[in-house]
């Protein structure tokens, strides 16, 4: 069978501001990412996803776009982007870029024109607001001097587009063509369940990410993605799109990945699941029963790093559980999305000083919510220096790094067989050897209540979420384990890959 590259791919998210700084201004950039591509090749991923690098006033770290067809000088130039894509392709890495269709920056030329009273139908204006709230805290409406209000489901600097205006639909098709023509292999779609709002903008009692909401997941959005899929299919090389879809239902999630819509959608139920065999199994069963071409993700630039999430549940277990969750995820049918720094076992940085925090979630909530800066702290490349190798010597990064980062740096972990980095490298190499020879389907094997055991052909994966050791299922050999699997026992908070015995 002709299997598309993205079905089983491992995709690595580069949060550009925090990956590598080549220019020496303390902020990551495209040239820095380009210099570090060999790290990703050695890690064993198949593709990289770049967060927004477009022209932006940075009201929300680049997710407020002023020009969708150019690179912000903070991150470099179009020439830097082209060079990065060329080098990535030479290394066998695909490149996905973030597209932000729900809203623009308030400095976008269209919104500047709207402030002058021109072309306001490209955005959502009303003479009085409804009761909708910003996802970042506070009202979702801002009043202009002329008395009109505009909608922003996120920061005030991110006015929502009116997707019922054909100009908006045509503009984004042209934006996609621009980047496809520059050689990108696909798109990650920000707030993919957004775009359309219910006619009349009715008040709501609950604004959470529900599948039946006036605010999110309107059925009209599927027509947009059919148009985008039709465009993607005209380009060679299996170009693809993955949606950021927050919803309360696997059945609703499946609607976004119908054969004529998006290729994939993030499966956030896996990310949200607690450390529990019962919870993990439910997510796996619900996903595989409803969603074709599943995806799995444990961390990203919007959530608390999973080392810290698991640690909070039971102190002292975060890293071992994180590695076990990774091994489980990599054994599941579908593709896996990694977030930069998780291969180093980086924790959430929870003690950032208030004056250093920049996330609009922190700002709009007046400090009541910590925001997302803690998972966005620049990653360490070397054990010493002012930025642990993130920036050139003597330059401090845009967010302060904790002293623990030196020992967790790429250089410190490389070559140490007990390190998290070398474990990731082994796991991805082993998966690469197995993935094209094992069936896509999963088979559950008998296990205790606190243990998951499943097989895909000759591969058996077992994970122990309980409090005591459990006996391993019959096997010929241990392929990979997160910790000791001696005397046929798997300790708590660990996982293992086994070679199934030949029958």
């Amino acid at each position: 069978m002709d299997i598309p590259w993205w079905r089983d791919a491992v995709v690595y998210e580069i949060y550009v501001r925090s990956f590598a700084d080549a220019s020496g201004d303390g902020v990551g950039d495209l040239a820095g990412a380009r210099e570090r591509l060999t790290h990703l090749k050695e890690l064993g991923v198949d593709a990289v996803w770049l967060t927004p690098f477009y022209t932006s006033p940075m009201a929300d770290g680049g997710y407020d776009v002023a020009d969708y067809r150019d690179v912000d000088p903070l991150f470099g130039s179009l020439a830097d982007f082209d060079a990065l894509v060329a080098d990535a392709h030479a290394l066998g890495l695909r490149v996905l870029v973030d597209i932000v269709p729900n809203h623009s920056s308030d400095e976008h030329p269209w919104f500047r024109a709207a402030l002058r009273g021109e072309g306001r139908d490209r955005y959502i204006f009303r003479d009085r607001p409804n009761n909708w709230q910003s996802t970042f805290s506070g009202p979702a409406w801002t009043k202009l001097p002329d008395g009109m209000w505009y909608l922003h489901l996120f920061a005030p600097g991110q006015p929502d587009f009116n997707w019922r205006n054909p100009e908006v639909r045509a503009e984004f098709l042209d934006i996609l063509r621009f980047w496809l023509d520059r050689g990108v292999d696909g798109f990650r779609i920000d707030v993919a369940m957004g775009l359309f709002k219910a006619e009349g903008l009715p008040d709501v009692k609950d604004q959470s990410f529900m599948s039946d909401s006036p605010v999110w997941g309107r059925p009209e959005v599927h027509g947009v993605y059919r148009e985008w899929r039709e465009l993607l299919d005209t380009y060679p090389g299996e170009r693809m799109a993955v949606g950021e879809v927050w919803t309360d239902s696997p059945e609703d999630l499946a609607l976004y990945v119908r054969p004529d819509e998006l290729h994939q959608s993030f499966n956030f139920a896996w990310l949200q699941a607690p450390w529990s065999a019962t919870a993990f199994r439910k997510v796996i069963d619900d996903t595989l029963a409803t969603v074709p071409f599943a995806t799995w993700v444990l961390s990203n630039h919007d959530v608390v790093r999973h080392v810290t999430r698991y640690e909070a549940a039971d102190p002292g277990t975060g890293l071992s559980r994180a590695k076990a969750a990774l091994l489980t995820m990599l054994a599941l049918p579908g593709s896996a999305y990694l977030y930069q720094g998780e291969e180093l076992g980086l924790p959430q940085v929870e003690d950032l000083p208030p004056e250093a925090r920049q996330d609009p979630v922190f700002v709009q909530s007046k400090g009541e919510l910590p925001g997302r800066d803690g998972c966005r702290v620049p990653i360490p490349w070397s054990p010493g220096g002012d930025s642990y190798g993130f920036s050139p010597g003597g330059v401090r990064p845009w967010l302060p790094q904790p002293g623990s980062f030196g020992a967790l740096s790429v250089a410190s972990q490389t070559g140490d067989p007990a390190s998290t980095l070398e474990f990731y490298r082994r796991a991805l190499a082993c998966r690469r050897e197995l993935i094209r020879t094992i069936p896509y389907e999963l088979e559950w094997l008998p296990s205790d209540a606190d243990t998951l055991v499943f097989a895909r052909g000759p591969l058996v994966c077992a994970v122990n979420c309980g409090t005591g050791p459990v006996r391993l299922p019959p096997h010929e050999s241990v392929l990979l384990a997160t910790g000791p699997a001696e005397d046929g026992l798997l300790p708590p908070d660990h996982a293992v890959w086994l070679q199934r015995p030949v029958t």
Side-chain angles (χ1 to χ4, degrees):
M1 185 175 66
D2 185 19
I3 299 172
W5 69 268
W6 44 264
R7 191 197 75 168
D8 303 298
V10 176
V11 183
Y12 184 100
E13 179 189 355
I14 293 178
Y15 187 71
V16 179
R17 291 197 298 168
S18 298
F19 188 64
D21 168 27
S23 66
D25 61 0
V27 179
D29 45 45
L30 295 178
R34 180 187 176 199
E35 291 175 356
R36 298 293 188 176
L37 288 175
T38 53
H39 166 69
L40 304 182
K41 180 66 176 179
E42 292 167 358
L43 184 61
V45 304
D46 301 296
V48 298
W49 148 31
L50 302 170
T51 57
F53 47 80
Y54 315 111
T55 306
S56 168
M58 300 294 154
D60 183 24
Y63 282 92
D64 50 315
V65 183
D67 186 345
Y68 288 85
R69 297 178 183 82
D70 204 357
V71 174
D72 194 284
L74 186 67
F75 300 127
S77 65
L78 279 172
D80 291 320
F81 176 81
D82 292 340
L84 186 156
V85 172
D87 283 3
H89 286 168
L91 290 170
L93 299 171
R94 312 263 184 164
V95 179
L96 312 183
V97 299
D98 227 311
I99 201 77
V100 188
N102 181 74
H103 48 262
S104 74
S105 165
D106 60 355
E107 295 188 12
H108 189 285
W110 279 7
F111 194 74
R112 286 181 171 179
L115 295 179
R116 301 191 299 268
E118 303 168 8
R120 283 193 171 179
D121 193 45
R122 296 164 175 161
Y123 295 90
I124 298 174
F125 285 85
R126 282 182 63 151
D127 55 6
R128 61 184 181 87
N130 62 13
N131 72 343
W132 293 6
Q133 296 294 296
S134 164
T135 302
F136 290 166
S137 189
W141 296 89
T142 290
K143 190 176 184 179
L144 297 176
D146 66 3
M148 293 295 288
W149 300 76
Y150 71 88
L151 177 68
H152 50 86
L153 290 176
F154 296 91
Q158 295 171 292
D160 280 49
F161 282 116
N162 173 21
W163 272 86
R164 300 186 189 281
N165 184 332
E167 276 190 278
V168 176
R169 294 176 80 127
E171 172 71 357
F172 272 90
L173 283 170
D174 194 66
I175 291 166
L176 296 181
R177 289 188 194 97
F178 179 86
W179 295 106
L180 289 166
D181 289 344
R182 298 194 92 89
V184 304
D185 299 285
F187 301 94
R188 178 265 189 184
I189 304 167
D190 186 59
V191 196
M193 75 294 178
L195 281 60
F196 287 87
K197 287 73 179 174
E199 295 275 17
L201 306 181
D203 284 351
V204 295
K205 293 182 179 179
D206 184 350
Q207 201 175 307
S208 58
F209 296 131
M210 298 181 296
S211 53
D212 181 18
S213 164
V215 186
W216 313 106
R218 304 303 302 164
E220 298 94 325
V221 76
H222 297 288
V224 172
Y225 297 138
R226 290 188 185 99
E227 292 177 355
W228 289 18
R229 178 61 176 265
E230 187 176 349
L231 173 63
L232 287 164
D233 287 347
T234 65
Y235 281 79
E238 297 178 322
R239 316 293 178 97
M240 59 83 73
V242 55
E244 181 199 24
V245 178
W246 293 91
T247 183
D248 59 350
S249 158
E251 289 78 16
D252 186 55
L253 186 67
L255 297 178
Y256 290 83
V257 290
R258 287 177 285 192
D260 62 343
E261 293 193 39
L262 303 180
H263 300 77
Q264 293 182 326
S265 186
F266 287 132
N267 179 19
F268 293 121
W270 178 250
L271 178 152
Q272 295 171 314
W275 180 254
S276 158
T278 301
F280 285 165
R281 180 159 184 167
K282 176 172 172 49
V283 172
I284 294 168
D285 282 341
D286 288 350
T287 301
L288 296 182
T290 55
V291 182
F293 306 123
T295 67
W296 311 96
V297 59
L298 289 165
S299 283
N300 62 38
H301 66 279
D302 284 331
V303 300
V304 173
R305 287 186 177 273
H306 59 284
V307 167
T308 299
R309 293 202 312 272
Y310 293 145
E311 181 80 15
D314 192 356
T317 62
L319 184 58
S320 61
R321 288 178 174 180
K323 291 163 70 175
L326 171 84
L327 208 57
T328 306
M329 176 175 80
L330 293 180
L332 292 170
S335 63
Y337 284 76
L338 310 181
Y339 178 50
Q340 66 178 44
E342 72 170 82
E343 76 276 19
L344 306 177
L346 296 187
Q348 186 85 353
V349 180
E350 298 180 301
D351 58 352
L352 289 169
E355 63 272 15
R357 294 182 182 271
Q358 300 185 24
D359 187 7
V361 173
F362 178 80
V363 176
Q364 286 180 222
S365 70
K366 297 180 172 57
E368 293 184 9
L369 300 174
R372 301 159 294 176
D373 290 318
C375 66
R376 300 174 175 185
V377 174
I379 67 173
W381 294 94
S382 58
D386 293 294
S387 66
Y388 301 109
F390 170 75
S391 293
V395 176
R396 295 191 179 276
W398 69 280
L399 281 175
Q401 301 156 300
S404 61
F405 268 27
L408 298 175
S409 67
V410 174
S412 296
Q413 295 196 43
T414 295
D416 177 1
S419 71
T420 304
L421 174 58
E422 293 297 349
F423 173 77
Y424 265 70
R425 287 171 173 168
R426 290 194 301 272
L428 293 177
C430 188
R431 183 184 187 273
R432 185 179 292 273
E433 290 181 7
L434 293 168
I435 199 65
R436 295 291 172 161
T437 61
I438 60 177
Y440 191 82
E441 294 74 20
L442 175 150
E443 172 192 359
W444 289 111
L445 301 180
S447 65
D448 296 338
D450 291 327
T451 307
L452 291 182
V453 182
F454 61 87
R456 291 179 63 192
L459 172 66
V460 175
C461 177
V463 56
N464 183 359
C465 297
T467 57
V470 296
R471 187 155 299 280
L472 294 175
H475 59 279
E476 285 193 353
S477 61
V478 173
L479 299 175
L480 189 63
T482 61
E486 300 169 350
D487 301 322
L489 296 176
L490 181 64
D493 304 319
H494 286 279
V496 64
W497 284 357
L498 305 169
Q499 175 73 38
R500 199 175 194 178
V502 177
T503 57

